[in-house]
Each structure stands twice: as C-alpha cells, then as structure tokens.
Amino acid sequence: MIRARGVRAALAGAWVAAASAWLYGCPPCGGGAYLDTVAQWDFEGDCAGDARCGFAVERGSASIRAAFHPGEHGLSIGPSSSVVAAVRDASQVEWVGAPQVRLVARCDAGTRLTVTVETAARASSFAGDGGPGGEGALESTLATSERWAAAATAFSTAGEVGEVRGVRFATSGPGACAIDAVRVLRAGYGGFCE
Amino acid sequence: MRTLSPLHGLVLAVALAVAARPDTARADERPHARAAIALDLGASSVTGGDYDRVIANWGFGGVGTAVALSAEGGAFVAPWLMVGGRFGYAGASAGNAAYDGARLSIAMYDVSLVARVGVPFGGRVRWFAGAQLEAGGMLATASLRNDETSRVVPRFGAHAMMQVFVGRVGFGLRLGRRFAGWRDAGGPGADLDLGGFEASTGVEVRL
C-alpha cells in the first residue's frame, strides 16, 4: 500500500515537472547578434517618379541603367562621380558594431568604387547617456571587377557607432561603376527562445 | 563483206543473254525509304557557366533543365545516309530574383542542317542504329520582367540514336550533346554556355 502511494506521488511529480517545462518554455532561451536591413535599394519599377531611386548626384553623373539584363536595373555612376542617399534608421534596436553595406557591383578597368556611411548620434539609448557614438563617416573602398560580383564593406571602428543617416558611393578613375541590390545592415542584439 | 565467225556469234549470244537476264537479286531486296520526317520530345541540360555565377548575385538559381522539341526532315541518299534539316526549341528557367521573385527564362530556337549515318538491320521488324550530326544557328533569348535580350549564335549537335520500325513508322531514342555559347550574356566576361546533354524520344515516318 505504502509502495503504491509512493509510485503515485512520483508520477504526479513527473506530470507537474513536465507541465511546468511546457508552460515556461523549457527549450533553451538565449540571446545573440542578428543582422537587420536598415535600408535597401533595388532600382526596379518607377521608384515613385524618382529618376535615381533615392540617390542624388553630388558630383559628375549617374543614371539608372540595365545591369546584366534589360529587365534588371542598377545605378550607373559615371567617372569621378559621387551619389548620396539618405537613410532613415528609426529602429530602437541597440545596434552592435559598425554597419555593413552589401551590394552587387562592377567597375570599368582601372576604376575604384568607395562607399561612405554617414552616422549621427542616437537621440536616445537604453544607457540613458545620450547614446553611443556620434556624428562621423565610415569609408571603405570596395573590391570590384569588370564582371558583376557581390561586394561588401569592411569598416574598422573603435567604439560604438550611432545611427546611419546616409550612404555615399563615389568613383575614382577613368571609367564608371554600376551598383545594384544595395543593403545597409546593422547588427543588433536580442534575446529569443527556441 | 565480212561475215561473223562462229566465235563472234557465240560471244554476241552470251552478251545478249546476260543483258536479258532478269534482276532477281534486286527483286529480293526491300526498297529503301526515300525520305523521312520526325518529331522529337525530350530534355536537355544547360551548362550555364559564368552566367550562372553572375546571376546568383541577384538570387537566381541558375539555368536548369530545358524542355526540348524538334521537327526534322531529310532525304536518303543511301540506305545508311540521310541529309536534311531540323527546327528545334528548348526552354529553361534560370530561377527567381530574391528582390521580387521575378523569373528569368532562357529560350533557344535553332535551325540546323542534319546528316544521319547508320545501319539498318533486322527482319520483319527493322532497326536502325546510328549517329546524327547537326550544324546551324540558334536564336537564344533571355526574358526577365517583360524585357528580352537575344543573340544569334552558332549551334552544333551530335547524337547517337536507336530506332525500331514497324512498317514505315519508327520509334526512337536519342542521346547526345549540344554545343552553343552566348558571349557576355551576363555582362562583360560572363558568357552563357548554352551547351548541354540531350535525351529525347520521337516518332519518325519514312516515305
């Protein structure tokens, strides 16, 4: 009799433990960095009537042109030219590290393509001290070729970087470059449960 | 007046007898076809090459397997040799863009000269085993978001074939290779290799 009561108690305890695990999400919870797209340009459609899909010409010339096919378009940046686009980084996520810019690009022989990301101090932060980072510019020369290929920035920074306010592409050299599928990415940190 | 000797007469008689001999050998032979028309349906791979590596940057998966159709016709200059021409079509998808899912498609239309050599054999059911060579031109078209770009390129083909005939109608199988290329199809330095392996089955009628 006593033995049967003990077995029933053990089974009841097991049921409670299993239910608790199911209710509270026993599978492990954790946190980590993730990449989020802050801004992107694909240069398709009429871009709401904007001839350069959000990019303004600062110097030289630029225009929307066919990439590898007449149905796929990119931004062609002329010799010794520069274009800039504003970025609205309104997320409240606490970004970690420097932003990344990824794109598909090609350049004529002997021509370089440089990307500059302009940042500004965050209006508020979780730390309550006015936010990490401040106004500044991160510049990187992309590794490009005459053939269309993926390219990405590799900024080296010390300390935190604020909000992204704009991105600039500039060419130097005798020829032109073309860009497409531009993404500005930030690494955030968050918690999650599986 | 010179008269024929008995020897001359004998030679003349033998010659006339040979000339008048019925062609028993030809009467036993099956008359070979004069011409043929055929329809084929199959599939082919498309190599892609550098073009696939370039379009992958936009999320396209690469040029895949093509559905292929062809119509052929030719004349038999000998039981083992047919010369003629073909019209063919092959169409393949190159995947979808990551941005909006737009599909990139490749279509190939070809007109080629054909030379087929082979050995017919068998009795009541006739078989044909041989090889076919093709040479001509191809119109290759890439379509994306209601826009097209095209190029005419040379095309060559080589196939092994096996057919079985019942009467004048034959059913066959072909395996072979297509050779064609579109230079700079994906921009500077990105050629599209339109070659690939082909397999098809078809119907042929001999006239």
Side-chain angles (χ1 to χ4, degrees):
Chain A
M1 193 66 179
I2 294 174
R3 203 172 293 170
R5 235 184 275 147
V7 169
R8 281 198 292 272
L11 284 174
W15 275 112
V16 170
S20 299
W22 178 74
L23 283 172
Y24 289 102
C26 186
C29 293
Y34 63 92
L35 280 179
D36 203 6
T37 301
V38 171
Q40 68 180 68
W41 295 269
D42 290 279
F43 308 105
E44 297 302 327
D46 65 359
C47 297
D50 186 336
R52 295 180 196 83
C53 293
F55 280 87
V57 178
E58 287 187 318
R59 184 180 76 244
S61 63
S63 60
I64 303 294
R65 291 194 185 170
F68 75 93
H69 186 281
E72 178 65 50
H73 299 89
L75 182 66
S76 176
I77 307 169
S80 300
S81 301
S82 112
V83 295
V84 65
V87 174
R88 183 170 168 270
D89 180 3
S91 172
Q92 295 302 307
V93 174
E94 195 77 19
W95 298 123
V96 175
Q100 297 181 29
V101 179
R102 297 180 185 175
L103 67 157
V104 184
R106 67 162 299 276
C107 288
D108 293 338
T111 304
R112 293 197 314 169
L113 180 66
T114 302
V115 58
T116 304
V117 175
E118 297 169 342
T119 62
R122 185 185 295 277
S124 65
S125 75
F126 296 115
D129 57 359
E135 286 197 15
L138 303 170
E139 185 175 292
S140 174
T141 298
L142 299 174
T144 58
S145 68
E146 291 184 65
R147 182 187 295 183
W148 284 101
T153 56
F155 296 120
S156 56
T157 61
E160 292 294 325
V161 175
E163 296 178 347
V164 175
R165 288 297 176 87
V167 62
R168 173 182 291 105
F169 290 95
T171 58
S172 56
C177 293
I179 61 174
D180 195 7
V182 180
R183 302 284 185 271
V184 178
L185 304 163
R186 296 301 305 265
Y189 189 88
F192 56 88
C193 291
E194 290 179 20
Chain B
M1 179 174 136
R2 187 168 179 181
T3 57
L4 291 176
S5 68
L7 183 59
H8 288 135
L10 181 61
V11 169
L12 185 59
V14 168
L16 287 171
V18 167
R21 173 179 60 88
D23 194 352
T24 54
R26 283 190 176 272
D28 291 341
E29 287 179 2
R30 193 187 303 267
H32 67 83
R34 291 168 296 177
I37 54 174
L39 294 174
D40 268 73
L41 171 66
S44 79
S45 64
V46 182
T47 304
D50 289 335
Y51 186 83
D52 281 356
R53 285 182 275 280
V54 164
I55 65 175
N57 291 306
W58 282 270
F60 296 104
V63 186
T65 303
V67 174
L69 306 168
S70 68
E72 293 177 3
F76 285 92
V77 298
W80 52 270
L81 174 62
M82 187 195 86
V83 293
R86 65 163 262 156
F87 173 77
Y89 163 81
S93 168
N96 300 81
Y99 162 61
D100 59 357
R103 170 165 289 193
L104 176 62
S105 302
I106 305 294
M108 297 171 276
Y109 303 88
D110 77 89
V111 176
S112 304
L113 295 175
V114 161
R116 183 193 301 174
V117 296
V119 177
F121 58 94
R124 187 159 174 253
V125 176
R126 300 297 300 270
W127 293 80
F128 180 88
Q132 178 165 303
L133 300 177
E134 302 157 3
M138 169 193 287
L139 172 66
T141 299
S143 303
L144 173 64
R145 297 191 186 103
N146 298 318
D147 270 309
E148 287 184 353
T149 180
S150 300
R151 182 74 63 87
V152 176
V153 299
R155 175 194 178 275
F156 302 95
H159 300 86
M161 52 194 306
M162 177 71 77
Q163 294 173 305
V164 56
F165 283 85
V166 178
R168 295 184 178 274
V169 180
F171 303 90
L173 195 64
R174 300 190 196 193
L175 296 171
R177 189 86 163 76
R178 175 187 65 250
F179 302 89
W182 180 349
R183 187 165 181 171
D184 293 341
D191 300 339
L192 172 55
D193 186 345
L194 293 166
F197 292 97
E198 298 179 322
S200 66
T201 184
V203 175
E204 181 170 302
V205 176
R206 297 208 169 173
L207 309 173

